[in-house]
Amino acid sequence: MSQDLGVFIKTLFSEAESARASKEEVWMKDYLQTKSEYEPDELNKIKRSKMYVPATRVKLNTVLTQVMDFLFPASEEHNWDLKPSPRPELHPSVITHYQQQAAAQGQELSQDELEKLVDKKAKASCEAMCEEIADQLVGGSGRKSYRAVCKSVAEQKLKYGTGILKGPLVREEFREGYAIAEDGSWQLQKSQVTELRPYYEDVSVWNAYPDANATRLEDCEHIFQDHIYNRRQVLDLLTYPGFNKQTITDYLRDNKDGDLDSYKALKLQQKIGSGETRKMDKRYRVYEFWGTLTGDQLASVGIKIPEEDLAEIFPANVWMLGDKVIKAVINPLEGATIPYQFDYFVEDEDSIWGDGLPTLLRHPQKALNSSMRMLLDNAAVSCGPQVAANMSAFTQDEDPRDIYAFKFWPFRSVEDMNKALKFFSVPSYTNELMALVRVFNDMVDDMSVPRFMGGDGSQMRGAGKTARGLSMLIGAAHQILKDLVKSHDENITRPFFKKMYFWNMQFNSRKDIKGDFEIIATGTSVLMAKEVQLERMQTVLAITDNPRFEGWVDDEKLLKEISKNLELPEGVLRSAREKESYERERLVESARANVQALVEELENKGVDVQHELLSMLQQQAGALMPEGGQHEAGRAAA
């Protein structure tokens, strides 16, 4: 393969790497702040207490948990959907098939009837496509599930300000599953035939290098991703199609100790944490390029390009070791020149990178740490008396610092004894410093999410003490989370599932799932709809307490809908049969208790219990019968 292209792409990478150098310093601070560790320079300046209040970590975990609950609710509803386009198109062969079926029955389809059949078929294909995509999002064969990938993306978004989802790409896989063996037992078996599956993954900001001149993903002409591999992992690349075996083996032979440059190794060591080191030799830096190249550039590495298209632009994927091209292909996925999606916590209009929660809380976190250190330092020196000692007053072998009960103190003279020690106390400012700590704790709350969102109700006052007031406070606190969910919908869900739709239209062998569909991101709409619907249901519930409206609402259906919106686990609500059985048991228990009480009362009065009970039953039976029936019952009793 020609290495002119390798040198050109390596130059682009160097520019992208230099362009994000300043952002790496911010990320390093974010990383340490999330781990609740001081920066090395700051730690060297601290002489006493080194306590770090993990406020940033707690807030990040709280927001991450809440966002994931909204994106992937316990009810397992999708935060995405497909629907047929307003005027769906079907393959001409399907329409021909409908017309032939009608003709065989001696009928001719009108335009309206044909449109209804097309709509019905489009809806069926759309549902089948949804089921297929949902199956592809389940993890397996070394892949993480879509939910696990989104959690990593959301965590990176909160921690560093930018979350990156890569994919879908095309990957061949052997499907694994249990099958019944010849002896009748279940055995895990791997299919002998590979199948194409969409591949997706989360990408750390530390491994992504966008176009140096772009401030938005849409403006990127290219993007790089680097991989730090050992020798075995580099050789494993040969199991995938398109990699040049000769170039890889030659490069490994010429670089037996690896090629990880000192700058990247330093960044990796720093990222581990302060004071720790890691040996980084015998590691290789593999570059993955996605972007546009000319037909002439692609032809130089062996890709067949028609002569009339050499000046055209093509979406390409190139892999390199050093400046050696080890794979170069035209991007096989239609409609996805760059298979990456970026999502932001706080978007920066002047940069392709966003700002994370640690950056937002940087100064309140530092102020909170300083206040807590002052509090501990003051408490340490004010908890007991300070001692001034006249060392010349003691005998030579005496150490006044060794103080214990009933100690014998030898002095040179009586005057020395009176001047030997002096005790005094340092003032305590615990209350003032505690107030300062609360100020900065509240500031952290104001700039992120309230403490009660993480389960801490100790600070609840006023409206928060009532159920209605707490509901209003939680609804207001959800505004931040709604923005994050909406951002995920716009930047991750919609573009990713659009590419998943393209992938299945292009590579999936099933014809019954293909059609003209539209992508819908439902994360925010589902969240807001649930809140509104739950509020309305509670209003209806209050209205039905009024005796005037008794019987107008189906209590069972209303309760089921409320349970569904609250995402209560299955089994909490009884089925109609279980409820019937429960009511019968209660009636039987109540009747048994009443009879027992009546028997005890009759026994206390000295009455014949059996005769009295029989008489009472006859009276009740007579009251329930019509008049003629009463005479018949009387004659039968006589």
Side-chain angles (χ1 to χ4, degrees):
M1 288 189 177
S2 170
Q3 298 313 312
D4 290 341
L5 178 60
V7 173
F8 170 74
I9 292 179
K10 188 66 181 294
T11 302
L12 293 179
F13 176 81
S14 298
E15 293 174 358
E17 186 177 39
S18 299
R20 66 159 228 190
S22 60
K23 198 63 182 180
E24 289 179 358
E25 297 178 4
V26 178
W27 292 342
M28 187 59 65
K29 293 178 181 179
D30 294 342
Y31 174 78
L32 293 174
Q33 186 175 331
T34 306
K35 288 188 69 178
S36 301
E37 294 182 4
Y38 288 103
E39 298 168 35
D41 293 342
E42 188 177 6
L43 188 62
N44 292 334
K45 295 176 183 178
I46 301 173
K47 302 303 180 185
R48 293 182 179 85
S49 171
K50 294 178 172 58
M51 180 178 181
Y52 198 111
V53 184
T56 301
R57 179 76 256 179
V58 171
K59 295 300 181 186
L60 192 147
N61 285 341
T62 300
V63 176
L64 178 62
T65 302
Q66 296 280 345
V67 168
M68 289 302 296
D69 284 345
F70 289 146
L71 291 175
F72 300 92
S75 59
E76 297 186 358
E77 294 180 34
H78 296 155
N79 61 351
W80 57 274
D81 200 3
L82 297 177
K83 70 173 184 179
S85 60
R87 297 184 64 84
E89 293 185 14
L90 293 181
H91 197 276
S93 61
V94 177
I95 296 175
T96 303
H97 174 70
Y98 287 142
Q99 292 172 335
Q100 289 176 347
Q101 275 189 329
Q105 298 174 2
Q107 300 174 352
E108 184 177 352
L109 291 176
S110 66
Q111 186 62 31
D112 288 343
E113 291 174 330
L114 186 59
E115 287 181 359
K116 287 180 180 179
L117 289 173
V118 168
D119 288 341
K120 184 178 179 181
K121 174 61 177 174
K123 288 178 181 178
S125 298
C126 186
E127 291 176 1
M129 175 70 84
C130 284
E131 292 175 0
E132 181 73 7
I133 292 177
D135 178 67
Q136 292 166 347
L137 300 181
V138 179
S141 301
R143 292 181 291 107
K144 292 198 293 186
S145 68
Y146 178 68
R147 188 187 191 283
V149 168
C150 282
K151 183 177 182 180
S152 298
V153 171
E155 186 173 8
Q156 290 265 315
K157 163 184 170 179
L158 294 172
K159 186 186 293 186
Y160 299 117
T162 307
I164 306 174
L165 175 66
K166 177 184 178 183
L169 304 176
V170 185
R171 185 174 182 177
E172 285 187 333
E173 291 183 1
F174 290 97
R175 181 172 283 249
E176 291 182 334
Y178 279 92
I180 300 177
E182 294 180 359
D183 59 357
S185 62
W186 288 92
Q187 292 184 356
L188 182 63
Q189 296 180 355
K190 181 181 287 188
S191 171
Q192 298 301 311
V193 180
T194 60
E195 61 177 355
L196 296 180
R197 299 280 292 181
Y199 173 76
Y200 47 87
E201 64 179 1
D202 56 283
V203 178
S204 170
V205 294
W206 295 94
N207 300 113
Y209 300 82
D211 184 351
N213 300 312
T215 57
R216 299 186 308 165
L217 185 63
E218 295 82 5
D219 299 333
C220 284
E221 290 189 355
H222 55 263
I223 187 171
F224 288 89
Q225 180 182 349
D226 69 347
H227 308 267
I228 308 303
Y229 286 163
N230 58 32
R231 188 181 185 88
R232 178 190 58 79
Q233 289 172 315
V234 174
L235 290 173
D236 284 346
L237 293 175
L238 295 174
T239 60
Y240 298 99
F243 283 91
N244 189 296
K245 182 177 181 180
Q246 187 63 47
T247 304
I248 291 176
T249 53
D250 288 348
Y251 190 87
L252 294 178
R253 185 188 63 242
D254 297 339
N255 298 271
K256 295 180 180 179
D257 295 327
D259 68 350
L260 191 62
D261 57 86
S262 58
Y263 174 78
K264 185 66 178 180
L266 176 64
K267 288 298 177 185
L268 288 172
Q269 287 178 355
Q270 288 177 344
K271 189 173 177 292
I272 301 170
S274 57
E276 298 182 26
T277 58
R278 181 172 67 180
K279 193 174 182 181
M280 296 303 299
D281 59 349
K282 295 188 178 180
R283 292 293 185 274
Y284 298 86
R285 195 176 188 185
V286 180
Y287 305 92
E288 182 181 359
F289 166 91
W290 293 88
T292 55
L293 295 172
T294 65
D296 191 38
Q297 289 173 318
L298 292 172
S300 69
V301 290
I303 298 178
K304 295 180 179 180
I305 304 293
E307 188 171 349
E308 62 272 15
D309 294 335
L310 291 177
E312 297 293 327
I313 300 294
F314 295 89
N317 172 222
V318 180
W319 289 66
M320 299 196 310
L321 269 170
D323 59 1
K324 310 295 183 183
V325 176
I326 59 175
K327 177 181 178 179
V329 294
I330 295 176
N331 186 354
L333 185 61
E334 298 173 354
T337 303
I338 296 179
Y340 293 85
Q341 289 78 227
F342 280 39
D343 191 21
Y344 302 101
F345 180 71
V346 177
E347 197 165 355
D348 185 353
E349 62 182 14
D350 297 324
S351 172
I352 197 171
W353 303 108
D355 294 323
L357 185 60
T359 301
L360 189 67
L361 298 179
R362 185 93 72 228
H363 294 297
Q365 177 71 73
K366 287 188 175 184
L368 181 59
N369 289 338
S370 298
S371 303
M372 186 60 75
R373 291 199 309 270
M374 286 191 291
L375 174 63
L376 294 176
D377 291 343
N378 179 252
V381 297
S382 64
C383 65
Q386 300 287 309
V387 183
N390 182 2
M391 300 300 292
S392 63
F394 299 96
T395 58
Q396 184 176 0
D397 297 332
E398 185 60 35
D399 184 2
R401 292 170 296 185
D402 186 18
I403 301 177
Y404 50 87
F406 303 107
K407 178 177 179 177
F408 174 74
W409 296 83
F411 293 99
R412 298 179 186 277
S413 65
V414 175
E415 291 78 8
D416 290 340
M417 182 175 65
N418 294 330
K419 300 176 182 178
L421 297 172
K422 184 178 181 181
F423 295 88
F424 60 94
S425 297
V426 174
S428 173
Y429 297 99
T430 302
N431 292 333
E432 292 84 349
L433 291 171
M434 281 293 293
L436 194 60
V437 169
R438 283 193 290 270
V439 166
F440 292 119
N441 248 328
D442 292 342
M443 187 179 293
V444 171
D445 281 0
D446 293 341
M447 298 179 68
S448 53
V449 291
R451 262 166 282 180
F452 63 77
M453 295 292 287
D456 181 6
S458 60
Q459 304 296 319
M460 297 300 296
R461 302 183 188 90
K465 291 295 185 181
T466 65
R468 184 72 176 175
L470 180 60
S471 177
M472 292 172 63
L473 290 175
I474 292 176
H478 278 171
Q479 293 302 320
I480 298 175
L481 303 177
K482 286 178 183 176
D483 287 342
L484 295 177
V485 174
K486 185 176 181 180
S487 173
H488 187 93
D489 282 351
E490 294 295 328
N491 298 321
I492 298 291
T493 303
R494 187 169 284 110
F496 175 74
F497 282 97
K498 184 177 181 180
K499 292 173 184 176
M500 285 289 288
Y501 166 58
F502 288 166
W503 191 99
N504 281 283
M505 290 296 291
Q506 185 177 354
F507 297 107
N508 202 309
S509 58
R510 290 181 56 184
K511 295 182 179 180
D512 62 309
I513 67 171
K514 300 188 177 183
D516 184 16
F517 310 136
E518 294 179 357
I519 311 299
I520 305 172
T522 59
T524 313
S525 58
V526 167
L527 169 62
M528 297 179 70
K530 279 186 176 181
E531 287 186 0
V532 173
Q533 193 173 6
L534 187 58
E535 208 169 298
R536 290 174 178 172
M537 285 179 180
Q538 291 172 342
T539 303
V540 171
L541 203 59
I543 293 174
T544 55
D545 287 340
N546 191 323
R548 293 171 55 196
F549 304 107
E550 186 177 356
W552 284 94
V553 176
D554 189 325
D555 292 339
E556 181 183 351
K557 291 182 179 178
L558 178 60
L559 194 57
K560 283 183 178 179
E561 285 300 317
I562 292 175
S563 174
K564 181 181 177 182
N565 274 273
L566 290 175
E567 297 182 3
L568 297 179
E570 291 185 9
V572 172
L573 292 181
R574 292 187 174 95
S575 65
R577 182 176 297 179
E578 289 172 338
K579 180 175 177 292
E580 224 174 87
S581 175
Y582 172 74
E583 289 177 346
R584 277 199 306 269
E585 288 177 4
R586 285 191 61 187
L587 287 173
V588 170
E589 289 176 3
S590 177
R592 187 180 290 117
N594 290 337
V595 170
Q596 183 65 31
L598 181 61
V599 168
E600 291 177 359
E601 184 181 352
L602 294 174
E603 287 177 346
N604 292 335
K605 291 180 178 180
V607 179
D608 185 348
V609 175
Q610 186 174 0
H611 180 271
E612 188 66 24
L613 287 177
L614 183 59
S615 175
M616 293 173 66
L617 288 173
Q618 288 175 347
Q619 290 176 6
Q620 290 182 2
L624 294 174
M625 289 183 182
E627 188 174 348
Q630 292 180 19
H631 293 312
E632 292 295 331
R635 283 197 297 270

